[in-house]
Amino acid sequence: MIVEMKSGASQEEVDSVVERAHKLSCDVQLNIGTNKVVVAILGAHTGQISTDLFEVLPGVASVTRIMRPYKLASREFHEEPTTVKVGDLEVGGKGIVVMAGPCAIESYNQLRSTAEHVSSHGARVLRGGAFKPRTSPFSFQGLGSDGVEVMYRVRKELGIPVVSEITDPHYLDAMIDRVDILQVGARNMQNYALLRAVGESQRPCILKRGLAATVTEWLQAADYVLSAGNPNVILCERGIRTYETTTRFTLDISSVAVVKRDSHLPIIVDPSHAAGHFALVPKLAKAAVAAGADGILIEVHPDPVNALSDGLQSLTFSDFATLMDDLRAIAQAVGRTI
Ligand code: PEP
Ligand code: MN
């Protein structure tokens, strides 16, 4: 961290910066110019120290961070890419993992037929929401723990791993023995009690990017799960709010490349919630695979027109089958498999 003093700052003001650095167990290096002093704050943990602690001191002109503010999620901390194991499945390896299923679990028949279809076309994980985080309290809220039971039944019958969203630490008991991957949704990316609970559960988790979160904030959220003792974090880009109104959210495809550069964690992309429309979803899914995503999380419904949630962005069975063929060709072109 570099602390630039105001020109003409007093010796006392410089001393107070040095004193604070020492209190925070950091070393300092002083650069004394003709009319300006620059103090370098050194230490392996400076990424975790708030710049405010120096900015607030009298005589300080500016503070610039050099270390990233996240640690456990960073490549500096962990150089080799992490793969997350879900049973026999590996997320973050050569294979691109397609996770597909309805937005919300509506019934046994709906989930079972979707599971059969998507798995027969190469999806390796079944998705489905039981506890739905809806923008309006008057929208369908999901089947709750009954939905978890439906999912568990389909999981047992077909032997396919499942992912479902947890919206509250209280639901952990209902989900922990029934769900292979816990999803933390975009609206909960900064729900720190939930992140800690998911961390303590040790269960593989998908951490979605908050709809107004920077990549740095997202990786700081990942640090919550990692620091609670859970190394099995899969990041999921699902689009962010921008000024653009033609899509539901703007898919920040560049975050895939940024995360691959700055973090060791696997990253998947959800083109469904980004696009908001079934006609756009396949194109975004293909862009994600081309950009280096380790997987795709996609909404598929047997009857999108009558879906209880997100029907407009859900793929039909036949659209999903076509997409899988296209994705295989792109995966091959970028040296991956599906
Ligand atoms: C979902 O995947 O069901 C969901 C609600 O997504 P998001 O949290 O990205 O909005
Ligand atoms: Mn949805």
Side-chain angles (χ1 to χ4, degrees), residues 102-104 127-129 132-134 165 183-188 208-209 211 236 238-239 248-249 270 273 297 299 310 313:
C103 175
R127 67 148 286 150
K132 293 303 301 174
R134 304 306 300 279
E165 177 166 354
Q183 177 174 317
V184 174
R187 288 155 191 81
N188 275 310
K208 286 199 156 191
R209 180 178 181 181
L211 26 122
C236 180
R238 47 79 70 210
R248 187 174 177 190
F249 295 94
D270 171 350
H273 289 88
L297 180 69
E299 289 185 341
D310 286 349
Q313 67 196 33

Side-chain angles (χ1 to χ4, degrees), residues 35-303:
N35 64 358
K36 226 176 210 189
V37 175
V38 173
V39 189
I41 314 285
L42 308 168
H45 62 298
T46 53
Q48 281 71 62
I49 295 172
S50 165
T51 50
D52 286 4
L53 291 174
F54 292 99
E55 209 141 5
V56 74
L57 296 175
V60 170
S62 72
V63 182
T64 312
R65 195 183 268 299
I66 294 173
M67 291 286 283
R68 299 206 158 89
Y70 49 88
K71 179 180 172 184
L72 305 179
S74 76
R75 261 206 202 265
E76 285 153 358
F77 177 78
H78 190 293
E79 214 177 306
E80 289 304 305
T82 288
T83 56
V84 173
K85 295 200 175 40
V86 182
D88 301 337
L89 201 63
E90 202 177 64
V91 184
K94 191 174 180 210
I96 289 166
V97 178
V98 175
M99 310 184 185
C103 175
I105 300 161
E106 297 169 12
S107 68
Y108 169 75
N109 287 340
Q110 173 239 22
L111 192 66
R112 164 97 198 206
S113 62
T114 309
E116 278 173 15
H117 180 81
V118 297
S119 63
S120 72
H121 286 275
R124 305 292 303 278
V125 176
L126 174 67
R127 67 148 286 150
F131 299 101
K132 293 303 301 174
R134 304 306 300 279
T135 303
S136 164
F138 308 114
S139 303
F140 174 58
Q141 301 288 306
L143 298 181
S145 39
D146 290 347
V148 177
E149 292 308 322
V150 167
M151 187 169 231
Y152 187 53
R153 183 176 161 200
V154 172
R155 173 187 183 271
K156 270 198 302 197
E157 288 169 354
L158 301 184
I160 186 170
V162 296
V163 55
S164 198
E165 177 166 354
I166 179 161
T167 51
D168 188 303
H170 291 117
Y171 300 145
L172 204 53
D173 282 349
M175 299 180 84
I176 191 73
D177 295 325
R178 289 173 162 65
V179 171
D180 301 274
I181 306 174
L182 293 167
Q183 177 174 317
V184 174
R187 288 155 191 81
N188 275 310
M189 189 204 83
Q190 288 177 315
N191 179 338
Y192 301 119
L194 182 64
L195 295 177
R196 278 205 196 87
V198 168
E200 283 161 15
S201 80
Q202 308 277 314
R203 191 51 43 108
C205 91
I206 288 178
L207 176 60
K208 286 199 156 191
R209 180 178 181 181
L211 26 122
T214 63
V215 171
T216 297
E217 286 161 345
W218 185 20
L219 293 172
Q220 288 181 283
D223 264 0
Y224 268 89
V225 180
L226 297 166
S227 66
N230 187 350
N232 307 304
V233 178
I234 301 161
L235 299 165
C236 180
E237 166 64 51
R238 47 79 70 210
I240 50 173
R241 254 298 135 69
T242 68
Y243 49 80
E244 183 53 62
T245 55
T246 53
T247 46
R248 187 174 177 190
F249 295 94
T250 299
L251 182 64
D252 181 12
I253 203 78
S254 56
S255 81
V256 177
V258 171
V259 164
K260 283 284 168 201
R261 183 191 64 192
D262 295 346
S263 175
H264 55 92
L265 296 172
I267 176 168
I268 65 171
V269 168
D270 171 350
S272 306
H273 289 88
H277 195 286
F278 65 89
L280 302 172
V281 169
K283 293 184 172 71
L284 300 191
K286 288 183 253 185
V289 170
D294 298 303
I296 300 290
L297 180 69
I298 196 159
E299 289 185 341
V300 178
H301 195 284
D303 179 18

